[in-house]
Amino acid sequence: MELADFQFFVEVLVGGLLSGVMYSLVAIGFVLIYKTSGVLNFAQGALLLFAALTFVSLVEKGLPFWAAFALTFAALTLIGIGVERAVLRPLVNQPPITLFMATLGLSYIIEGAAQLIWGTQVHALDLGIDDTPIDVAGVFISTFDLVAAGVAAAMVASLLAFFRFTRIGLAFQAVADDQFAAVAVGLRLHRVWVVVWTAAGLVALVAGLLWGARLGVQFSLSLVVLKALPVLVLGGFDSIAGAIVGGLIIGAVEKLGEVYLGPLLGGGIESWIAYAVALALLLVKPSGLFGRPSTERA
Amino acid sequence: MTSGPLLELDAVEVSYGGAIRALSGVSVAVPAGAFVALIGANGAGKTTTLKAAANLLPVDRGAVTAGRISFEGEDVTHQPVHRLVRRGLVLAPEGRRCFRSLTVEENLITGALGRSSTRAEQREDLDKIYALFPRLTEVRRSPAGLVSGGEQQMVAIGRALASRPRVLLLDEPSMGLAPLVVEHIFRALKRLTTESGLAILVAEQNAAIALRHADRAVVLENGRTALEGDAKALAARGDVKAFYLGRAPSIETRVA
């Protein structure tokens, strides 16, 4: 391979990995809720849209960045509390499919509410990040992608630290491991759920801003969840590490596939190759690469 | 403090899913500092009785339909679990159910999370648990899913003790464990009741060992209290001996 080819390969790979970090970010929102309540929260995409739309509308009303961020986060916290009270609590001990249907309904309610409050037009979101590519040893990398990946990585790291080193984090892991035993030792499930939904809301907010800045804030934004699904299948629905690695793999596969297989197969690969990879893995390893580490004696 | 028993189940009836009757008249009294054994055949209602006392039935869609459960003389039949734990009534569930991906020490700490304890108090509690089960000291940094069955049972008990209970409900601690390990655990429990005044209600399939260590015992049959009394006296009775320590027709048919 000639140097120029190799540089091009690296450029594609890095671009893929950087967008993969953003997939990871969306996927982690799912993992948090799945781990603690066994529910695939379909409303994660609607939360993301709601967050981005609320933020951009507040900014357009003249609020400074951090005020808009804080207000949006407050709104998401209220949604988290509301969901726990109105949906999770009454449906406790119901089968997972019931809860899944509830989150499906919830996602339309949240989207509808967002539409009702902020209207339906497309908003441009400018986070003030310069998007000129920078040159690293002949490889061009988008500044925006780099910053977005950095923010996403910082977000993931702080979430991991929160769940690793705080009391509520310990309670979170206990609930994820064994809900019944967690209740039996006196942990308050409802409190853990509120915290988890709030954390998922924060993830949705950050992901919503990054994706919104890239794609524009519009209703199709809630469809980025469809990008998260293959990541979850690949990494395992209950593994944060899996969501990170899965996101990176999917990101890289999409870009490499588009560039190197696209000409052979006629393009448009980026939209389905992630699912093909996820399906192939499902056949070999149904619980995903990192699904439920069986911490059990053989 | 009241002068009556610390924990009392009075003619408790339980059904699951509003249809399946699991208990139809269970009465159990646990005085402060007592070691009470709950024995009976498979399906007699031992686990349900403990879950009713800990108000953990709703998880299995069960409910207390009649009778009364009181703690320190107060009706606690519908009190939320976290409040019961805070007041000093905690269940170490059947099958141990340790948090497998957490380390042994983290498991123990989860028991103290419900109470707003300081780090120093937490340390003190951990030291007590390690003193009770020295084997846990060596595996404190291992994931609980990877330690032996006996150690997991010690973790489950230790985790419950970390909430500083006054009554410990313990479901089938001998399950799947070697007799020596079971003996070690029961000795430790007995020591707890005599030295720290903790009361224990232990459900056991292994009636022999339970009756040997307990002060009092309650025999359940088909969801009701069939016999109740001093553990040594019960163990000496011909029918109990024959049915629970050997083989014979049930007590109900004998007594009736």
Side-chain angles (χ1 to χ4, degrees):
Chain A
M1 200 188 281
E2 288 182 30
L3 183 64
D5 289 340
F6 182 70
Q7 279 175 339
F8 179 63
F9 170 79
V10 172
E11 207 168 290
V12 173
L13 179 66
V14 169
L17 291 175
L18 291 178
S19 59
V21 177
M22 285 172 60
Y23 294 157
S24 302
L25 192 58
V26 179
I28 281 172
F30 283 93
V31 172
L32 288 176
I33 291 175
Y34 187 84
K35 265 176 93 83
T36 40
S37 41
V39 183
L40 178 68
N41 174 28
F42 197 81
Q44 189 66 29
L47 277 180
L48 194 151
L49 169 70
F50 180 91
L53 200 58
T54 304
F55 176 85
V56 81
S57 304
L58 289 175
V59 167
E60 280 169 11
K61 287 206 179 344
L63 262 73
F65 180 94
W66 287 111
F69 190 90
L71 269 179
T72 310
F73 182 52
L76 288 164
T77 305
L78 287 179
I79 291 178
I81 295 170
V83 166
E84 194 279 313
R85 280 282 153 89
V87 181
L88 297 178
R89 205 177 283 197
L91 290 179
V92 76
N93 301 326
Q94 297 296 323
I97 185 70
T98 308
L99 284 158
F100 173 71
M101 294 309 288
T103 67
L104 196 62
L106 197 62
S107 83
Y108 284 100
I109 292 173
I110 294 173
E111 274 178 32
Q115 207 155 2
L116 210 64
I117 301 170
W118 304 118
T120 52
Q121 72 268 45
V122 179
H123 301 257
L125 174 56
D126 182 14
L127 296 177
I129 304 168
D130 194 22
D131 201 14
T132 45
I134 52 169
D135 183 348
V136 183
V139 176
F140 285 95
I141 300 169
S142 144
T143 316
F144 178 82
D145 283 356
L146 210 57
V147 172
V151 169
M155 175 86 216
V156 171
S158 47
L159 273 178
L160 285 180
F162 175 74
F163 285 115
R164 189 82 197 90
F165 299 115
T166 63
R167 285 181 177 215
I168 189 80
L170 195 58
F172 164 84
Q173 293 189 54
V175 170
D177 260 13
D178 189 328
Q179 197 166 307
F180 175 79
V183 174
V185 297
L187 298 181
R188 265 167 279 189
L189 210 48
H190 303 303
R191 218 179 248 193
V192 172
W193 281 341
V194 167
V195 171
V196 164
W197 275 78
T198 306
L202 184 60
V203 170
L205 173 55
V206 174
L209 295 190
L210 296 178
W211 280 102
R214 187 187 257 185
L215 307 175
V217 178
Q218 55 188 316
F219 279 82
S220 62
L221 201 56
S222 65
L223 297 179
V224 298
V225 295
L226 296 181
K227 289 282 186 195
L229 289 181
V231 174
L232 292 167
V233 171
L234 201 66
F237 281 85
D238 54 4
S239 166
I240 293 179
I244 297 168
V245 177
L248 293 177
I249 294 177
I250 295 287
V253 162
E254 273 187 1
K255 290 286 185 290
L256 292 173
E258 182 69 43
V259 169
Y260 291 101
L261 294 178
L264 302 174
L265 298 171
I269 282 189
E270 199 173 347
S271 57
W272 58 262
I273 193 164
Y275 280 89
V277 170
L279 271 177
L281 187 91
L282 259 187
L283 298 176
V284 192
K285 212 166 176 305
S287 58
L289 291 174
F290 293 82
R292 191 83 207 163
S294 54
T295 337
E296 206 158 6
R297 278 199 171 191
Chain B
M1 278 285 304
T2 49
S3 54
L6 200 48
L7 171 70
E8 189 171 24
L9 282 77
D10 184 22
V12 170
E13 300 186 13
V14 167
S15 65
Y16 287 108
I20 305 155
R21 173 73 77 86
L23 300 184
S24 44
V26 166
S27 298
V28 178
V30 183
F35 194 162
V36 183
L38 190 62
I39 61 177
N42 238 335
K46 302 188 294 292
T47 296
T48 303
T49 302
L50 294 189
K51 280 189 182 167
N55 195 14
L56 282 163
L57 289 172
V59 182
D60 303 325
R61 284 191 251 175
V64 173
T65 50
R68 188 182 131 101
I69 297 163
S70 47
F71 189 70
E72 299 175 299
E74 188 193 321
D75 189 338
V76 293
T77 314
H78 301 291
Q79 204 153 94
V81 185
H82 66 88
R83 205 164 297 156
L84 287 175
V85 172
R86 252 196 136 119
R87 291 183 65 161
L89 178 64
V90 68
L91 169 75
E94 183 178 17
R96 320 189 243 281
R97 308 189 71 150
C98 298
F99 303 123
R100 294 199 304 240
S101 59
L102 298 184
T103 66
V104 164
E105 182 148 310
E106 285 170 337
N107 264 272
L108 300 178
I109 293 171
T110 58
L113 287 179
R115 161 170 79 74
S116 29
S117 57
T118 64
R119 295 241 170 234
E121 281 172 347
Q122 212 175 69
R123 197 63 254 166
E124 195 183 306
D125 288 351
L126 286 177
D127 289 342
K128 273 188 199 159
I129 295 163
Y130 288 133
L132 187 68
F133 298 121
R135 274 171 70 172
L136 293 186
T137 323
E138 291 152 39
V139 293
R140 59 201 285 184
R141 304 248 172 268
S142 313
L146 295 179
V147 303
S148 74
E151 285 157 352
Q152 285 187 357
Q153 185 60 65
M154 293 173 198
V155 170
I157 294 172
R159 182 177 65 183
L161 291 176
S163 69
R164 298 195 171 175
R166 294 168 62 204
V167 175
L168 170 65
L169 306 167
L170 186 52
D171 200 353
E172 212 77 52
S174 77
M175 194 197 263
L177 300 184
L180 262 177
V181 177
V182 176
E183 184 66 33
H184 173 72
I185 288 173
F186 268 85
R187 286 219 180 120
L189 293 174
K190 178 75 190 171
R191 210 164 56 234
L192 272 179
T193 59
T194 51
E195 284 171 13
S196 68
L198 173 73
I200 297 178
L201 176 61
V202 57
E204 254 307 336
Q205 191 96 264
N206 183 343
I209 189 149
L211 290 175
R212 186 141 33 87
H213 290 91
D215 317 315
R216 301 189 62 75
V218 175
V219 180
L220 295 188
E221 274 201 5
N222 300 323
R224 55 178 90 234
T225 299
L227 283 172
E228 207 255 307
D230 180 75
K232 303 282 168 301
L234 278 179
R237 277 177 60 135
D239 50 0
V240 172
K241 228 186 213 163
F243 190 55
Y244 293 105
L245 310 172
R247 235 170 254 144
S250 88
I251 290 175
E252 272 189 348
T253 53
R254 281 263 176 132
V255 171

